[in-house]
mmCIF file of all heavy atoms in Angstrom:
data_model
loop_
_atom_site.group_PDB
_atom_site.id
_atom_site.type_symbol
_atom_site.label_atom_id
_atom_site.label_comp_id
_atom_site.label_asym_id
_atom_site.label_seq_id
_atom_site.Cartn_x
_atom_site.Cartn_y
_atom_site.Cartn_z
ATOM 1 N N ARG A 1 -54.811 13.234 -1.698
ATOM 2 C CA ARG A 1 -55.021 13.333 -0.245
ATOM 3 C C ARG A 1 -56.220 12.505 0.214
ATOM 4 O O ARG A 1 -56.303 12.122 1.377
ATOM 5 C CB ARG A 1 -55.204 14.796 0.151
ATOM 6 C CG ARG A 1 -53.929 15.635 0.095
ATOM 7 C CD ARG A 1 -54.258 17.073 0.449
ATOM 8 N NE ARG A 1 -53.102 17.951 0.449
ATOM 9 C CZ ARG A 1 -52.307 18.160 1.506
ATOM 10 N NH1 ARG A 1 -52.561 17.528 2.648
ATOM 11 N NH2 ARG A 1 -51.282 18.989 1.436
ATOM 12 N N ARG A 2 -57.155 12.238 -0.685
ATOM 13 C CA ARG A 2 -58.312 11.425 -0.331
ATOM 14 C C ARG A 2 -57.972 9.934 -0.251
ATOM 15 O O ARG A 2 -58.746 9.160 0.315
ATOM 16 C CB ARG A 2 -59.431 11.619 -1.367
ATOM 17 C CG ARG A 2 -60.038 13.002 -1.391
ATOM 18 C CD ARG A 2 -61.110 13.068 -2.471
ATOM 19 N NE ARG A 2 -61.511 14.453 -2.751
ATOM 20 C CZ ARG A 2 -62.287 14.807 -3.762
ATOM 21 N NH1 ARG A 2 -62.763 13.871 -4.580
ATOM 22 N NH2 ARG A 2 -62.587 16.070 -3.959
ATOM 23 N N ALA A 3 -56.867 9.549 -0.873
ATOM 24 C CA ALA A 3 -56.485 8.137 -0.887
ATOM 25 C C ALA A 3 -55.895 7.741 0.465
ATOM 26 O O ALA A 3 -55.273 8.571 1.143
ATOM 27 C CB ALA A 3 -55.470 7.869 -1.994
ATOM 28 N N PRO A 4 -56.040 6.488 0.865
ATOM 29 C CA PRO A 4 -55.450 6.045 2.136
ATOM 30 C C PRO A 4 -53.930 6.132 2.144
ATOM 31 O O PRO A 4 -53.329 6.332 3.200
ATOM 32 C CB PRO A 4 -55.915 4.587 2.253
ATOM 33 C CG PRO A 4 -57.111 4.485 1.374
ATOM 34 C CD PRO A 4 -56.869 5.438 0.251
ATOM 35 N N ALA A 5 -53.306 5.972 0.978
ATOM 36 C CA ALA A 5 -51.840 5.960 0.919
ATOM 37 C C ALA A 5 -51.397 6.445 -0.458
ATOM 38 O O ALA A 5 -50.998 5.655 -1.317
ATOM 39 C CB ALA A 5 -51.299 4.556 1.189
ATOM 40 N N GLY A 6 -51.503 7.759 -0.694
ATOM 41 C CA GLY A 6 -51.148 8.320 -1.993
ATOM 42 C C GLY A 6 -49.670 8.182 -2.296
ATOM 43 O O GLY A 6 -48.823 8.260 -1.406
ATOM 44 N N ARG A 7 -49.371 7.982 -3.563
ATOM 45 C CA ARG A 7 -47.983 7.858 -4.014
ATOM 46 C C ARG A 7 -47.772 8.735 -5.248
ATOM 47 O O ARG A 7 -48.554 8.674 -6.202
ATOM 48 C CB ARG A 7 -47.641 6.399 -4.373
ATOM 49 C CG ARG A 7 -47.830 5.408 -3.211
ATOM 50 C CD ARG A 7 -46.756 5.614 -2.143
ATOM 51 N NE ARG A 7 -46.913 4.684 -1.029
ATOM 52 C CZ ARG A 7 -47.508 4.966 0.121
ATOM 53 N NH1 ARG A 7 -48.030 6.184 0.319
ATOM 54 N NH2 ARG A 7 -47.591 4.072 1.085
ATOM 55 N N ILE A 8 -46.713 9.544 -5.207
ATOM 56 C CA ILE A 8 -46.317 10.355 -6.358
ATOM 57 C C ILE A 8 -44.925 9.905 -6.784
ATOM 58 O O ILE A 8 -44.003 9.846 -5.960
ATOM 59 C CB ILE A 8 -46.292 11.856 -6.019
ATOM 60 C CG1 ILE A 8 -47.681 12.329 -5.571
ATOM 61 C CG2 ILE A 8 -45.814 12.662 -7.222
ATOM 62 C CD1 ILE A 8 -47.693 13.754 -5.031
ATOM 63 N N VAL A 9 -44.788 9.574 -8.056
ATOM 64 C CA VAL A 9 -43.488 9.179 -8.607
ATOM 65 C C VAL A 9 -43.149 10.137 -9.738
ATOM 66 O O VAL A 9 -43.906 10.255 -10.713
ATOM 67 C CB VAL A 9 -43.507 7.734 -9.142
ATOM 68 C CG1 VAL A 9 -42.124 7.355 -9.678
ATOM 69 C CG2 VAL A 9 -43.951 6.764 -8.057
ATOM 70 N N ASN A 10 -42.040 10.835 -9.610
ATOM 71 C CA ASN A 10 -41.557 11.726 -10.655
ATOM 72 C C ASN A 10 -40.453 11.008 -11.432
ATOM 73 O O ASN A 10 -39.431 10.642 -10.857
ATOM 74 C CB ASN A 10 -41.022 13.023 -10.046
ATOM 75 C CG ASN A 10 -42.120 13.829 -9.387
ATOM 76 O OD1 ASN A 10 -43.272 13.800 -9.823
ATOM 77 N ND2 ASN A 10 -41.773 14.563 -8.338
ATOM 78 N N VAL A 11 -40.688 10.799 -12.714
ATOM 79 C CA VAL A 11 -39.697 10.100 -13.529
ATOM 80 C C VAL A 11 -38.593 11.086 -13.885
ATOM 81 O O VAL A 11 -38.781 12.006 -14.679
ATOM 82 C CB VAL A 11 -40.332 9.479 -14.781
ATOM 83 C CG1 VAL A 11 -39.259 8.808 -15.638
ATOM 84 C CG2 VAL A 11 -41.392 8.454 -14.378
ATOM 85 N N SER A 12 -37.451 10.882 -13.256
ATOM 86 C CA SER A 12 -36.298 11.749 -13.422
ATOM 87 C C SER A 12 -35.306 11.087 -14.383
ATOM 88 O O SER A 12 -35.712 10.432 -15.347
ATOM 89 C CB SER A 12 -35.666 12.028 -12.049
ATOM 90 O OG SER A 12 -34.600 12.936 -12.151
ATOM 91 N N SER A 13 -34.036 11.230 -14.121
ATOM 92 C CA SER A 13 -32.992 10.686 -14.994
ATOM 93 C C SER A 13 -31.690 10.598 -14.219
ATOM 94 O O SER A 13 -31.419 11.446 -13.357
ATOM 95 C CB SER A 13 -32.800 11.606 -16.208
ATOM 96 O OG SER A 13 -31.613 11.290 -16.908
ATOM 97 N N GLY A 14 -30.901 9.592 -14.542
ATOM 98 C CA GLY A 14 -29.576 9.515 -13.944
ATOM 99 C C GLY A 14 -28.726 10.724 -14.275
ATOM 100 O O GLY A 14 -27.820 11.092 -13.511
ATOM 101 N N THR A 15 -29.022 11.388 -15.399
ATOM 102 C CA THR A 15 -28.264 12.583 -15.770
ATOM 103 C C THR A 15 -28.559 13.757 -14.849
ATOM 104 O O THR A 15 -27.892 14.788 -14.933
ATOM 105 C CB THR A 15 -28.559 13.002 -17.220
ATOM 106 O OG1 THR A 15 -29.947 13.348 -17.351
ATOM 107 C CG2 THR A 15 -28.223 11.882 -18.190
ATOM 108 N N ALA A 16 -29.567 13.620 -13.982
ATOM 109 C CA ALA A 16 -29.857 14.667 -13.002
ATOM 110 C C ALA A 16 -28.951 14.581 -11.793
ATOM 111 O O ALA A 16 -28.940 15.497 -10.959
ATOM 112 C CB ALA A 16 -31.312 14.560 -12.552
ATOM 113 N N SER A 17 -28.210 13.503 -11.661
ATOM 114 C CA SER A 17 -27.312 13.330 -10.520
ATOM 115 C C SER A 17 -26.050 14.156 -10.729
ATOM 116 O O SER A 17 -25.211 13.837 -11.580
ATOM 117 C CB SER A 17 -26.931 11.849 -10.358
ATOM 118 O OG SER A 17 -25.861 11.708 -9.447
ATOM 119 N N MET A 18 -25.896 15.204 -9.945
ATOM 120 C CA MET A 18 -24.691 16.031 -10.066
ATOM 121 C C MET A 18 -23.463 15.266 -9.603
ATOM 122 O O MET A 18 -22.355 15.486 -10.105
ATOM 123 C CB MET A 18 -24.887 17.335 -9.301
ATOM 124 C CG MET A 18 -25.826 18.281 -10.030
ATOM 125 S SD MET A 18 -26.130 19.849 -9.185
ATOM 126 C CE MET A 18 -27.543 19.388 -8.182
ATOM 127 N N ALA A 19 -23.658 14.340 -8.674
ATOM 128 C CA ALA A 19 -22.534 13.508 -8.228
ATOM 129 C C ALA A 19 -22.002 12.670 -9.381
ATOM 130 O O ALA A 19 -20.785 12.563 -9.590
ATOM 131 C CB ALA A 19 -22.979 12.615 -7.072
ATOM 132 N N ALA A 20 -22.914 12.070 -10.147
ATOM 133 C CA ALA A 20 -22.486 11.236 -11.273
ATOM 134 C C ALA A 20 -21.904 12.084 -12.403
ATOM 135 O O ALA A 20 -20.880 11.731 -12.998
ATOM 136 C CB ALA A 20 -23.663 10.414 -11.789
ATOM 137 N N MET A 21 -22.531 13.202 -12.683
ATOM 138 C CA MET A 21 -22.110 14.024 -13.817
ATOM 139 C C MET A 21 -20.752 14.681 -13.597
ATOM 140 O O MET A 21 -20.084 15.081 -14.552
ATOM 141 C CB MET A 21 -23.164 15.096 -14.102
ATOM 142 C CG MET A 21 -24.476 14.541 -14.621
ATOM 143 S SD MET A 21 -24.360 13.895 -16.303
ATOM 144 C CE MET A 21 -24.814 15.342 -17.253
ATOM 145 N N THR A 22 -20.339 14.805 -12.336
ATOM 146 C CA THR A 22 -19.044 15.436 -12.050
ATOM 147 C C THR A 22 -17.977 14.420 -11.630
ATOM 148 O O THR A 22 -16.899 14.822 -11.198
ATOM 149 C CB THR A 22 -19.208 16.487 -10.938
ATOM 150 O OG1 THR A 22 -19.775 15.876 -9.773
ATOM 151 C CG2 THR A 22 -20.099 17.635 -11.400
ATOM 152 N N ASP A 23 -18.276 13.145 -11.780
ATOM 153 C CA ASP A 23 -17.340 12.081 -11.386
ATOM 154 C C ASP A 23 -16.564 11.597 -12.603
ATOM 155 O O ASP A 23 -17.147 10.988 -13.506
ATOM 156 C CB ASP A 23 -18.131 10.922 -10.772
ATOM 157 C CG ASP A 23 -17.245 9.756 -10.365
ATOM 158 O OD1 ASP A 23 -16.010 9.839 -10.545
ATOM 159 O OD2 ASP A 23 -17.795 8.745 -9.877
ATOM 160 N N PRO A 24 -15.237 11.853 -12.677
ATOM 161 C CA PRO A 24 -14.457 11.409 -13.842
ATOM 162 C C PRO A 24 -14.494 9.901 -14.055
ATOM 163 O O PRO A 24 -14.227 9.425 -15.167
ATOM 164 C CB PRO A 24 -13.037 11.882 -13.511
ATOM 165 C CG PRO A 24 -13.214 12.998 -12.542
ATOM 166 C CD PRO A 24 -14.413 12.621 -11.728
ATOM 167 N N GLY A 25 -14.835 9.148 -13.022
ATOM 168 C CA GLY A 25 -14.906 7.705 -13.149
ATOM 169 C C GLY A 25 -16.243 7.188 -13.617
ATOM 170 O O GLY A 25 -16.394 5.985 -13.879
ATOM 171 N N HIS A 26 -17.226 8.067 -13.739
ATOM 172 C CA HIS A 26 -18.562 7.660 -14.160
ATOM 173 C C HIS A 26 -18.694 7.828 -15.679
ATOM 174 O O HIS A 26 -18.113 8.741 -16.258
ATOM 175 C CB HIS A 26 -19.611 8.508 -13.449
ATOM 176 C CG HIS A 26 -21.001 7.948 -13.494
ATOM 177 N ND1 HIS A 26 -21.797 8.032 -14.610
ATOM 178 C CD2 HIS A 26 -21.733 7.282 -12.556
ATOM 179 C CE1 HIS A 26 -22.966 7.447 -14.364
ATOM 180 N NE2 HIS A 26 -22.948 6.993 -13.120
ATOM 181 N N TYR A 27 -19.480 6.952 -16.299
ATOM 182 C CA TYR A 27 -19.601 7.039 -17.762
ATOM 183 C C TYR A 27 -20.286 8.327 -18.214
ATOM 184 O O TYR A 27 -20.140 8.738 -19.371
ATOM 185 C CB TYR A 27 -20.314 5.807 -18.331
ATOM 186 C CG TYR A 27 -21.794 5.699 -18.068
ATOM 187 C CD1 TYR A 27 -22.714 6.218 -18.981
ATOM 188 C CD2 TYR A 27 -22.290 5.064 -16.933
ATOM 189 C CE1 TYR A 27 -24.072 6.117 -18.762
ATOM 190 C CE2 TYR A 27 -23.645 4.951 -16.710
ATOM 191 C CZ TYR A 27 -24.528 5.473 -17.624
ATOM 192 O OH TYR A 27 -25.874 5.362 -17.390
ATOM 193 N N PHE A 28 -21.018 9.012 -17.315
ATOM 194 C CA PHE A 28 -21.612 10.296 -17.686
ATOM 195 C C PHE A 28 -20.548 11.369 -17.949
ATOM 196 O O PHE A 28 -20.846 12.376 -18.581
ATOM 197 C CB PHE A 28 -22.547 10.792 -16.577
ATOM 198 C CG PHE A 28 -23.894 10.135 -16.545
ATOM 199 C CD1 PHE A 28 -24.692 10.241 -15.417
ATOM 200 C CD2 PHE A 28 -24.367 9.411 -17.623
ATOM 201 C CE1 PHE A 28 -25.933 9.643 -15.365
ATOM 202 C CE2 PHE A 28 -25.615 8.800 -17.593
ATOM 203 C CZ PHE A 28 -26.398 8.923 -16.456
ATOM 204 N N TRP A 29 -19.353 11.161 -17.420
ATOM 205 C CA TRP A 29 -18.295 12.161 -17.577
ATOM 206 C C TRP A 29 -18.048 12.497 -19.047
ATOM 207 O O TRP A 29 -17.733 13.632 -19.401
ATOM 208 C CB TRP A 29 -17.010 11.647 -16.929
ATOM 209 C CG TRP A 29 -15.854 12.594 -16.995
ATOM 210 C CD1 TRP A 29 -14.766 12.515 -17.822
ATOM 211 C CD2 TRP A 29 -15.652 13.771 -16.196
ATOM 212 N NE1 TRP A 29 -13.899 13.560 -17.586
ATOM 213 C CE2 TRP A 29 -14.424 14.341 -16.594
ATOM 214 C CE3 TRP A 29 -16.392 14.386 -15.178
ATOM 215 C CZ2 TRP A 29 -13.925 15.498 -16.005
ATOM 216 C CZ3 TRP A 29 -15.899 15.538 -14.604
ATOM 217 C CH2 TRP A 29 -14.676 16.076 -15.022
ATOM 218 N N ASP A 30 -18.205 11.497 -19.916
ATOM 219 C CA ASP A 30 -17.928 11.682 -21.339
ATOM 220 C C ASP A 30 -19.164 12.049 -22.152
ATOM 221 O O ASP A 30 -19.078 12.170 -23.369
ATOM 222 C CB ASP A 30 -17.307 10.404 -21.931
ATOM 223 C CG ASP A 30 -15.901 10.155 -21.403
ATOM 224 O OD1 ASP A 30 -15.197 11.146 -21.142
ATOM 225 O OD2 ASP A 30 -15.528 8.981 -21.255
ATOM 226 N N THR A 31 -20.304 12.212 -21.508
ATOM 227 C CA THR A 31 -21.487 12.612 -22.257
ATOM 228 C C THR A 31 -21.415 14.098 -22.574
ATOM 229 O O THR A 31 -20.843 14.890 -21.821
ATOM 230 C CB THR A 31 -22.782 12.323 -21.469
ATOM 231 O OG1 THR A 31 -22.749 13.027 -20.227
ATOM 232 C CG2 THR A 31 -22.932 10.834 -21.206
ATOM 233 N N ALA A 32 -21.996 14.467 -23.700
ATOM 234 C CA ALA A 32 -21.950 15.866 -24.125
ATOM 235 C C ALA A 32 -22.733 16.747 -23.148
ATOM 236 O O ALA A 32 -23.763 16.344 -22.611
ATOM 237 C CB ALA A 32 -22.540 15.993 -25.527
ATOM 238 N N ALA A 33 -22.214 17.956 -22.920
ATOM 239 C CA ALA A 33 -22.915 18.915 -22.077
ATOM 240 C C ALA A 33 -24.221 19.314 -22.750
ATOM 241 O O ALA A 33 -24.274 19.536 -23.958
ATOM 242 C CB ALA A 33 -22.042 20.140 -21.843
#
């Protein structure tokens, strides 16, 4: 908050995308649960 323009970046994962994980056309479809 003291910085003029603070930036927070949370390193997530494409596997966090529920849209991708539930899409039969996406390569995540075949990844193990």
